Amino acid sequence: MTVRAGFKTLSLVLIGGFALAACDQPEERVDRAGQLGQAVIDQITGKDARPSDPRDALKRASVEGRAFAGKLQPTFLPTLPTTGERRFAIGSIVAKPRDLPPPVAMAEVMAAPEMAMEIVIDEEAESRIVILDEATMAEAEVSPEIIERIERPQALNRKRVTVIDPRVEAPPKAILEPGPNLPRAPLRDRLRRNPDGSSIDELQVKRVETQQERYDKLPQLKPQVAQRAITMRQDALERQLQAEDRMIETARKYGVAASIQRSRSGQMVIEIGADAMKPTQFTGEFSPRQLSAIEAEETVCDQGAIADGTASAIMAMDCVIEDLQASGEFEYVEKDYIFEHQMIRRPDTPVTPVAITPNDPLFSLQWHYQNQSDSPGGAGFVDFWTREAVQGAPEVVVAVIDTGLDYSHPDIKNSPNLVAGWDMVTDPDVGNDGDSRDGDATDPGDICPEKGRMENSWHGTHVAGTIGAGLTDNGQGVAGGAWNVKLVPVRALGKCGGRLSDINDAIRWAAGIIPEFDALGNEVWNDNPAHIINLSFGLFKTCPASMQDAINAVTAEGVTVVAAAGNNRIPTQFFAPASCQNVITVASGDARGYLAPYSNYGSAVDLIAPGGDLSRDDNGDGNPDGVLSTKLSENCLDPVSGSAVAQCYYSYEEGTSMAAPHVSAALALIKAKRPDQTRLELFDTLMAGLTPVAEVQCIGECINYPGAVPTEADENLCLRPCGAGLLNLAGVNLSED
């Protein structure tokens, strides 16, 4: 049972950041709301902001601001997933040491400078080391430039990349304390020679820093960032170094090169094999790495094949994972799985286009924002905007972890709602932008011939537009759910998907608890820590331990995480991140308020939100009942003239990817009106307004939905559990009684 959280009724109504007392005169309200759009001012003064004929708004808009893509499609059910379709990055492993001491909040250290002596301040917490195989070690003895090429720091956007000699033991504990010293000798130092031909001593004890010197190294953080930002304790670093020793020992056992990336979050990423010596960020000098493989039904570590050198890269990876798991030293060790966005990609089936001459502007085509009295599957945004007199607040921040953003989109390029994001895609082949992680969250496209996808999805732009990335009430295009919030785009998906390890880092960075690094190695924190994080992607797998770890870390800081249920018509317990704990799992509904035929279902689903169905036109407007939002598209239509348009900036799409951002936008609106509500209170408030669903809204033919339970009335019809009800902001009443 969902219980609505109690909250105090305030005597002031917050509108766009202005407090309006009940006794204010209309003229005074207009003065105070000067930063709001004209439509909101008209609403306050009692004027009707809508034109007498909705077609007038279409006629006034440019073709660029009104043309859209989307046509009715044949009924379509996605194929059921199998474990044989689950992909992972070859050679990449995600792990975390067991019993790792918890991180320390930067705010605590700033308040108690003496704590600086107990934490890791410099780049050592985020360091990457590379261990060579024997053949490359021999080559390096002759050509030391091999080491310099691998260690090139600007190529990895990290402060330090160090090739170490695995034959050298770690220095004694005393060497590590109290300053941030290298845990092992850089191989290039061992390869340099003194004039007499003797080796330079690789273990040089650095001078001890004073408390003030170490405190001065702390980054200068904004107060709201410092509250969430974390750093690592010295004992935690030592625990990571112990785990690192185990990884080095295991790599040597199987004769493979390895690259180990440490993070202050506790997550460690190990890449093994030849590509570990060729960091993925190098795009010119090294051949592209093999991107991914399909997970077999069963994997077996063949020690004989390892010994005689006939083992594949995948088998070597399986052996390393098996050994590390068996050591008992790790909380989790798992493959670096590849997640995909949850927008339905239909087969290319020719369909006769339907002539569209709607009577309403583009907003009137967005049935998903309408009240349920007008559109049964709508989410009641219109009622909330009007009754609560709030369309958002710039203090509320929503992060969209996705494919990035089309910053050139005409409804987005001048939007004040956007703040700085980050590109978290490590592998440039996946990133499709020629580089690795950096501060540019632009979506360069994600065409994926390997999976038969020959067009860019612009997925993140569509999702962000639904939340409110673009300009609303500007006489062009479409509206967003929350007109006046801050949106942080965090790019973690690229060509053919996104790595688990990148997504985990993206979740933490979006919440403002870990930094990223620029090309010079400087820490870059999210200066706008998210209150809400939207995850519109998925993988046919139960929640990976490392992903749950990342989600737990941010929800502990009060962040609300919203996840798409997935489009595989299976129970969500087999799908991530929908099956993770501490997320709001959102299934997809159509314009009738029925569970969409492609949507996942099950006990983990919290609610249904508008996700659309391109095969239906239940409102009879001549258009498919998809979700209309911002997206560069082709083969479009001008709704005024009825003529074809080659390219447009708005499109109907369907999927649980489209449902999740409606919930994120709704939570942002509630947070704008009730900024003091906690994560759990926000959830309770949202759930208290749901419209209950009848059994008929969540049934389907049993043959199409494995795991669903037959209904009592008809054994051929199965109930697909679809949560507590339909998203309905009209049922959320935060105003004074």
Side-chain angles (χ1 to χ4, degrees):
M1 294 292 291
T2 300
V3 181
R4 186 173 185 174
F7 53 89
K8 295 181 180 179
T9 302
L10 303 181
S11 60
L12 299 180
V13 179
L14 295 179
I15 303 181
F18 295 89
L20 303 186
C23 61
D24 285 340
Q25 297 301 312
E27 294 80 11
E28 294 173 346
R29 297 185 184 185
V30 172
D31 289 339
R32 297 187 186 188
Q35 296 180 1
L36 299 179
Q38 185 61 45
V40 180
I41 296 174
D42 289 343
Q43 175 188 308
I44 295 172
T45 57
K47 296 180 181 178
D48 185 3
R50 293 176 177 269
S52 57
D53 183 357
R55 286 181 54 82
D56 291 343
L58 276 175
K59 293 175 182 177
R60 288 195 300 269
S62 64
V63 174
E64 180 183 83
R66 70 192 184 206
F68 57 86
K71 54 190 177 182
L72 285 170
Q73 303 283 343
T75 300
F76 170 73
L77 283 175
T79 57
L80 292 171
T82 67
T83 55
E85 297 173 358
R86 190 180 297 154
R87 295 185 300 131
F88 59 90
I90 295 175
S92 187
I93 303 166
V94 184
K96 182 180 179 181
R98 188 180 299 280
D99 301 324
L100 194 69
V104 179
M106 290 293 292
E108 294 181 36
V109 183
M110 299 297 291
E114 64 275 8
M115 289 184 65
M117 303 302 291
E118 303 173 8
I119 64 171
V120 178
I121 292 180
D122 82 344
E123 66 270 26
E124 189 60 34
E126 307 287 343
S127 181
R128 177 192 293 265
I129 68 166
V130 177
I131 302 97
L132 306 183
D133 57 24
E134 290 296 331
T136 309
M137 283 285 295
E139 293 178 17
E141 294 281 352
V142 179
S143 304
E145 65 271 13
I146 291 175
I147 310 304
E148 295 175 3
R149 283 170 38 178
I150 295 175
E151 288 186 344
R152 189 179 305 166
Q154 65 269 26
L156 282 165
N157 290 343
R158 287 290 187 273
K159 285 191 174 184
R160 177 183 293 147
V161 180
T162 307
V163 179
I164 63 105
D165 188 339
R167 298 168 297 190
V168 177
E169 297 296 330
K173 181 177 179 181
I175 300 293
L176 295 175
E177 296 181 342
N181 297 283
L182 286 175
R184 294 181 180 82
L187 183 57
R188 56 183 168 79
D189 289 346
R190 290 179 55 77
L191 296 177
R192 293 204 306 264
R193 301 284 173 177
N194 287 318
D196 62 359
S198 61
S199 296
I200 295 176
D201 183 9
E202 67 275 7
L203 297 180
Q204 299 178 0
V205 179
K206 296 183 178 180
R207 69 180 180 86
V208 176
E209 293 176 301
T210 67
Q211 175 179 309
Q212 187 61 47
E213 285 175 323
R214 286 177 58 75
Y215 184 77
D216 289 343
K217 286 186 177 182
L218 288 171
Q220 299 301 309
L221 302 177
K222 295 181 179 180
Q224 69 270 28
V225 178
Q227 289 299 322
R228 292 188 184 176
I230 60 172
T231 190
M232 176 171 277
R233 290 166 35 176
Q234 285 283 354
D235 54 354
L237 174 59
E238 292 174 18
R239 183 69 191 89
Q240 278 195 330
L241 294 177
Q242 293 170 10
E244 193 174 86
D245 286 339
R246 173 66 67 180
M247 296 171 187
I248 294 172
E249 177 186 327
T250 305
R252 291 182 62 191
K253 174 181 177 180
Y254 294 108
V256 295
S259 170
I260 304 172
Q261 173 71 53
R262 296 191 299 273
S263 169
R264 74 189 66 193
S265 69
Q267 174 176 284
M268 302 176 74
V269 177
I270 317 105
E271 292 183 299
I272 65 166
D275 283 324
M277 296 179 292
K278 306 171 184 178
T280 56
Q281 290 76 0
F282 290 102
T283 57
E285 301 176 41
F286 298 92
S287 60
R289 63 184 292 118
Q290 193 174 3
L291 291 179
S292 65
I294 302 298
E295 185 170 77
E297 291 292 340
E298 293 185 12
T299 55
V300 179
C301 175
D302 186 339
Q303 298 286 351
I306 294 289
D308 62 23
T310 61
S312 66
I314 296 176
M315 180 177 290
M317 177 183 178
D318 291 333
C319 290
V320 170
I321 291 176
E322 184 178 294
D323 259 33
L324 294 179
Q325 289 174 335
S327 73
E329 296 182 25
F330 295 89
E331 182 178 322
Y332 53 76
V333 183
E334 56 194 2
K335 295 176 181 176
D336 202 348
Y337 289 101
I338 295 176
F339 287 68
E340 297 185 26
H341 64 66
Q342 294 303 296
M343 180 188 288
I344 289 286
R345 309 317 302 163
R346 290 169 172 257
D348 187 12
T349 305
V351 178
T352 302
V354 177
I356 305 173
T357 311
N359 294 323
D360 301 310
L362 291 187
F363 174 68
S364 72
L365 303 181
Q366 295 180 284
W367 57 268
H368 36 100
Y369 294 137
Q370 303 299 326
N371 299 328
Q372 290 172 1
S373 57
D374 300 317
S375 177
F381 280 77
V382 172
D383 182 89
F384 190 92
W385 294 335
T386 305
R387 173 171 41 80
E388 300 295 339
V390 64
Q391 295 78 36
E395 297 79 20
V396 177
V397 182
V398 183
V400 177
I401 300 178
D402 217 291
T403 63
L405 200 64
D406 177 6
Y407 285 92
S408 66
H409 191 286
D411 232 1
I412 289 176
K413 60 185 177 183
N414 295 318
S415 175
N417 297 346
L418 294 179
V419 292
W422 201 264
D423 178 2
M424 282 285 180
V425 181
T426 301
D427 193 324
D429 292 312
V430 175
N432 202 30
D433 57 358
D435 57 26
S436 182
R437 295 186 179 186
D438 57 31
D440 184 3
T442 299
D443 185 349
D446 58 356
I447 289 174
C448 181
E450 296 91 326
K451 294 185 71 67
R453 297 172 183 168
M454 304 309 295
E455 62 178 20
N456 295 309
S457 71
W458 309 118
H459 184 270
T461 302
H462 195 280
V463 169
T466 297
I467 295 171
L471 290 164
T472 295
D473 194 33
N474 64 342
Q476 300 287 313
V478 295
W483 308 2
N484 185 26
V485 297
K486 289 292 183 284
L487 189 138
V488 179
V490 186
R491 185 168 183 255
L493 276 65
K495 175 184 175 184
C496 305
R499 288 189 182 187
L500 170 62
S501 55
D502 289 342
I503 292 170
N504 293 341
D505 284 347
I507 292 171
R508 289 184 169 99
W509 186 85
I513 64 175
I514 64 169
E516 263 302 306
F517 299 87
D518 63 20
L520 299 177
N522 300 309
E523 290 187 357
V524 180
W525 295 81
N526 178 11
D527 283 339
N528 298 277
H531 299 99
I532 300 151
I533 296 177
N534 190 91
L535 307 178
S536 284
F537 50 77
L539 171 72
F540 176 47
K541 188 184 186 307
T542 54
C543 185
S546 61
M547 176 170 280
Q548 186 65 69
D549 192 32
I551 291 170
N552 289 348
V554 302
T555 54
E557 298 300 325
V559 180
T560 300
V561 180
V562 179
N567 302 336
N568 296 104
R569 56 189 176 94
I570 59 173
T572 48
Q573 70 188 80
F574 304 113
F575 206 78
S579 62
C580 297
Q581 299 296 310
N582 296 326
V583 303
I584 299 177
T585 300
V586 187
S588 182
D590 62 19
R592 302 170 299 168
Y594 282 49
L595 186 65
Y598 55 78
S599 180
N600 288 352
Y601 56 90
S603 59
V605 172
D606 290 297
L607 74 162
I608 303 174
D613 186 344
L614 293 176
S615 68
R616 304 187 66 91
D617 178 21
D618 289 302
N619 58 12
D621 65 358
N623 300 307
D625 290 340
V627 171
L628 187 60
S629 185
T630 48
K631 178 189 171 183
L632 179 66
S633 301
E634 297 178 348
N635 302 320
C636 310
L637 187 76
D638 178 357
V640 171
S641 66
S643 59
V645 178
Q647 181 176 284
C648 61
Y649 294 93
Y650 308 95
S651 182
Y652 285 104
E653 295 292 349
E654 65 181 355
T656 55
S657 275
M658 285 61 255
H662 283 86
V663 173
S664 294
L667 289 165
L669 291 175
I670 297 171
K671 184 72 173 177
K673 190 66 180 284
R674 290 286 182 263
D676 294 333
Q677 284 201 350
T678 66
R679 176 178 69 90
L680 295 178
E681 288 171 342
L682 281 175
F683 175 74
D684 287 345
T685 301
L686 180 84
M687 299 293 282
L690 298 185
T691 299
V693 291
E695 182 178 277
V696 67
Q697 292 173 268
C698 297
I699 62 173
E701 294 185 25
C702 295
I703 193 172
N704 293 326
Y705 302 101
V709 179
T711 61
E712 294 182 2
D714 189 335
E715 64 179 10
N716 295 313
L717 294 178
C718 277
L719 178 64
R720 297 173 290 158
C722 55
L726 292 173
L727 173 64
N728 185 14
L729 276 171
V732 176
N733 191 341
L734 304 179
S735 298
E736 293 179 316
D737 294 332

